[in-house]
Amino acid sequence: MYIYTADEMKEIDEKTIGGEDGKSLELMEKAAKSIYNVLSDRITGKKKHKQVLAVCGKGNNGGDGLALSRLLGNDGFNIRVLMTAGEKELKRDTSVELKRLEISTDNVYYLGSSSRELLDQIIGDSDFIIDAIFGTGFKGKVDGELSDIMLKINDSKATVVSIDIPSGLVGNNGRVYGNAIKADFTVVVDSLKTGNLLGQAPDYNGEIIVGEGIGLDKSQASPDKRLLSGKTAGKMKTRRSSGHKYDFGSLAIAGGSIGMTGAPLLSAKSGLGSGCGLSTVLIDKEAYAYCNSPWPEVMIKPYANEVEFEKLLERATAAVFGPGMGMDEKYDKMMIKALKRDIPIVVDADGIYRLNKARDQLVLKDKNLIITPHLGEMAKLFRVKTEDVLDDPIYFVKSAVDCYNAVVVLKGPCTVIGAKNELWFYYKPNSGMACGGSGDVLSGIIGGLCAQGYETLEAAKKGVVIHGTAGEFARAEKNEWGMCAGDIINNIYKGIEPLV
Ligand SMILES: NC(=O)C1=CN([C@@H]2O[C@H](COP(=O)(O)OP(=O)(O)OC[C@H]3O[C@@H](n4cnc5c(N)ncnc54)[C@H](OP(=O)(O)O)[C@@H]3O)[C@@H](O)[C@H]2O)[C@@H](O)CC1
Ligand SMILES: [K+]
C-alpha cells in the first residue's frame, strides 16, 4: 500500500481533475460513497434511526462530510449538520454539497450563530459524530470557539468518525499544535497520507480504515513510500537442517559501560533470538567487571584497547555498535575499526553521535551500514531540535540515508525505514515499547539477521516487523504498563513465526 504526503495528494488530486468541469465534485461523491461503504460495514447495519451529527468545515473535507450525510440520511439516520464556516466561506464543491443536503433536511446549524446550549445539546445527544471539519489541507492551530467544540466532541459519548484525518492534525506530519479531534475510527480517503501515521496521529486516529480507491490518477506521483507489514517484510530464508552454528552467523555487540552493561546483553540475546549462531558482547575491560549476564548463551569478551577490540571482531559476520557505550571519546577509535571491517554494522544509541566524526575520517560509501536512531538521536546527529525532526521526519530520514550511505531506521510509534529511493512506514503504536532496552532489542534482532546474511534493508524491514510483533505479544501478556524489554525478547520467536 502506497503512502503520500498531503502535498503529493493535492498534486494527484489536481492532476486527476485536470481542469475538467464537474470532476472534483465527482471525486467528492466517490469519496463519500467509499466512506459510506466502510461505515455501512461497521456501524450502520442495525443502527438506523440513530442521531448523527456531521460537523463540517469550509474545505473539501467538509464537502465529503456533507455528501456522506446525505447518503446516511437516505439510509434512515437522523442527520444534523453543524457548519463551522458561513455559507459564503465554503469552497465551491462544499457549497454544492450543502445545497444538495438541504433538499432533505432543515437541521443545519452554524457555529457563529447557534447558542452554546444548543451546540452542547446536539453534541451531547448524538450517537455518531462525523468529523469533517478539516482534512489534509489543515495547517497550524485550531483556536476560538471551534477549539472548545472539539473538546466537547472528544468528551461526548458518541462514536466519532473522522473523515480522512482527525481534524486538527497537520496533513504532512501528523503534528497537533492545539486541540484536535480524537476519533474512534478514521476513514481515510483513497490512500494513506503521511499525516495519518506520523507525529501525534496515533493518539487521535482510533482505528484507521482505508476506503476503496476513488479513481485518482497517480501516474505521475513518485511511489516511494509504502506501508510495512508482515507481508511486505518478506519471508525468512529456510535454514539448512545440516547447518552448524557458524553457518548461521556470528554477531558482535560493541557496547556497555559502567551502569549500562545490560544494553549490549539485551542486544546480544535478541540477536540469538533472531536465529544467528553466536552472539558476543565486546566490552571495555573496566565495565566487564560489572557485567552480570542472566544469559549463559551470550559470550562476553573484554578488551583493553582498540587492537584487542579489532582482534575480537575478526570472526564476526555482523556487528551492532553502540548500546550502552556511553560518551567516552576512547570509543571513537573502536568505531573506526568496526567501520573499516567489511561486515554489516548496525549503529545504535551512543554509536550514532560518533557517526559525524567517523564520516570525517572514512568514506562511508559502499558500507553495509544501518543506523537506528530515535527522534532525539536523529536530532543530535543533525544538530537540530527534536521538534525539527518531528516537523519533517521524512526529510531527516532521507538526509541520513544520503549522508551516511545507510539504511536508516527512525524508531517511533510509526517507525520509518529509509533506503535509497524507498521509505517504509511501520505503524503499530504500542506505548509498552517505549521502555528502556526496547531499542537494544531491535538493534540486536537487525544485527542478528545481518549476521545470517540478510541484506541491510531486508534485515531492517524484517527486524522492525519481528520486534513490533513480539511487542504486540508482550502487550497481550503483560499489558502496556507491565511489559518490558525482556518480555519483547521472550516473544521474538512469535514475531518470526508469521514470516516463516
Ligand atoms: N484527492 C484528494 O485528496 C481528495 C480529497 N478530498 C477531501 O478533501 C480534503 C482536503 O481538502 P482541502 O484541501 O479543501 O482542505 P480541508 O482540509 O478540507 O480544509 C482546509 C480548510 O481549512 C482552512 N484552514 C486550514 N488551516 C486552518 C486553521 N489553522 N484554522 C482555520 N482554518 C484553517 C483552509 O482555509 P484557508 O486557510 O486555505 O483559507 C481550508 O479551506 C481531504 O482531506 C479529503 O477529505 C476528497 O474530497 C476527494 C479527493
Ligand atoms: K476530518
Side-chain angles (χ1 to χ4, degrees), residues 310-325:
E310 198 175 18
K311 185 95 189 119
L312 290 174
L313 264 186
E314 269 170 12
R315 295 199 77 170
T317 55
V320 175
F321 193 95
M325 182 169 258

Side-chain angles (χ1 to χ4, degrees), residues 161-172:
V161 181
S162 284
I163 294 186
D164 210 21
I165 187 167
S167 298
L169 267 66
V170 177
N172 276 335

